[in-house]
Amino acid sequence: MWKADKWKDYEVLDTSDGEKLERWDRYFLVRPDPQVIWRTKRTDPRWRKYDARYIRSNAGGGKWTEHKLPEHWQIHYGPLTFNVKPMNFKHTGVFPEQAANWDYIMERIRGAGRPINVLNLFAYTGGATLAAAAAGASVCHVDAAKGMVAWAKENARASGLENAPIRWIVDDCGKFVEREIRRGRKYDAIIMDPPSYGRGPSGEIWKLEQNLYPFVELVAGVLSDDPLFVIINSYTTGLAPSVLGCIMDSVFRPKFGGHSECDELGLPVTGSGLVLPCGATGRWSKD
């Protein structure tokens, strides 16, 4: 398991019965987590003294209760700064477990010894974009949601990267890649965080199990002749990390060689010593 264990501003304090108790800088949140199927005693007093708790509704969705939070605040990870904003579907705009990938991204780019051009697809609020830019890469950040791209720009400004070579693109990722292929543009590294399910701007339905492999085949068309790495994240329940490795080895290895590695991402749990599983990641690299 790849652990995001270098955080100072974020911490999973405890987990029990479908929920996790978290510290986001000085604020304490309780949020649902489908991986937490164990029922351990809630001895940490902050289970009862949280600043906000997200409760799911039987009718779908949910809401924050006992909301004692500001509209937004900031947390830091190394050179990166993120604006945290609790949203009405439990998320905060940051997936802390992805710090394990941010470390990998920064290490590989800094060690490349050459200019690196990165394409970040389904880029959300820009964690991987900021990591790549902070390491010195040029980045193309693509997401279909205008609000998420605006949020990512806020994070770039907060991180002192407002003048970094980042292209901010609001577009359907598949259509954008098709246009980049026609333009002849190439990228040395590609990062993607595709959803389990989604709808395109024209009503197209995306199902990860059906669409991921052909999408990765398409993306291979914008890789440079000397690619550095490809990262694929998945939060689809039941999809083994090794599936991502098989996809990448099937698509990239015949043309470029190299190898893939895959594993779960995890967050240490302070109170119990457990590690909370938080999704799957595959990494392919040429060397």
Side-chain angles (χ1 to χ4, degrees), residues 244-258:
L244 302 176
C246 289
I247 290 173
M248 290 191 291
D249 280 340
S250 298
V251 173
F252 304 126
R253 195 163 62 183
K255 182 176 181 180
F256 300 105

Side-chain angles (χ1 to χ4, degrees), residues 98 101-102 104-106 108-109 116-124 126-133 137-142 173 177 187-194 215-216 219 222-223 228-233 248 252 281-284:
Q98 287 295 329
N101 278 330
W102 304 337
Y104 174 86
I105 290 165
M106 289 188 282
R108 292 306 308 270
I109 291 172
I116 297 297
N117 196 16
V118 177
L119 175 61
N120 188 12
L121 300 168
F122 310 98
Y124 195 51
T129 294
L130 302 186
S138 299
V139 187
C140 181
H141 174 110
V142 186
C173 289
V177 171
Y187 297 88
D188 304 299
I190 298 174
I191 304 158
M192 66 179 80
D193 197 349
F215 184 77
V216 175
V219 165
V222 294
L223 268 179
L228 188 62
F229 64 80
V230 177
I231 296 176
I232 304 176
N233 294 302
M248 290 191 291
F252 304 126
T281 287
R283 302 168 180 168
W284 172 87

Side-chain angles (χ1 to χ4, degrees), residues 211-287:
N211 297 106
L212 181 59
Y213 185 80
F215 184 77
V216 175
E217 286 186 304
L218 176 68
V219 165
V222 294
L223 268 179
S224 68
D225 293 334
D226 188 19
L228 188 62
F229 64 80
V230 177
I231 296 176
I232 304 176
N233 294 302
S234 171
Y235 288 91
T236 301
T237 303
L239 184 72
S242 55
V243 172
L244 302 176
C246 289
I247 290 173
M248 290 191 291
D249 280 340
S250 298
V251 173
F252 304 126
R253 195 163 62 183
K255 182 176 181 180
F256 300 105
H259 71 284
S260 70
E261 53 183 349
C262 45
D263 211 332
E264 290 182 291
L265 297 178
L267 287 165
V269 181
T270 303
S272 64
L274 301 175
V275 179
L276 178 64
C278 301
T281 287
R283 302 168 180 168
W284 172 87
S285 61
K286 190 176 178 181
D287 53 19

Side-chain angles (χ1 to χ4, degrees), residues 72 74-76 79-83 85 125-127 129-131 133-134 141 146-166 168:
H72 64 85
Q74 292 183 337
I75 61 171
H76 309 275
L80 313 180
T81 298
F82 300 97
N83 292 286
K85 304 176 187 179
T125 58
T129 294
L130 302 186
H141 174 110
K146 184 177 181 180
M148 293 298 106
V149 175
W151 193 339
K153 289 181 180 180
E154 292 176 10
N155 289 335
R157 286 193 294 271
S159 300
L161 295 168
E162 62 269 28
N163 296 319
I166 303 173
W168 303 103

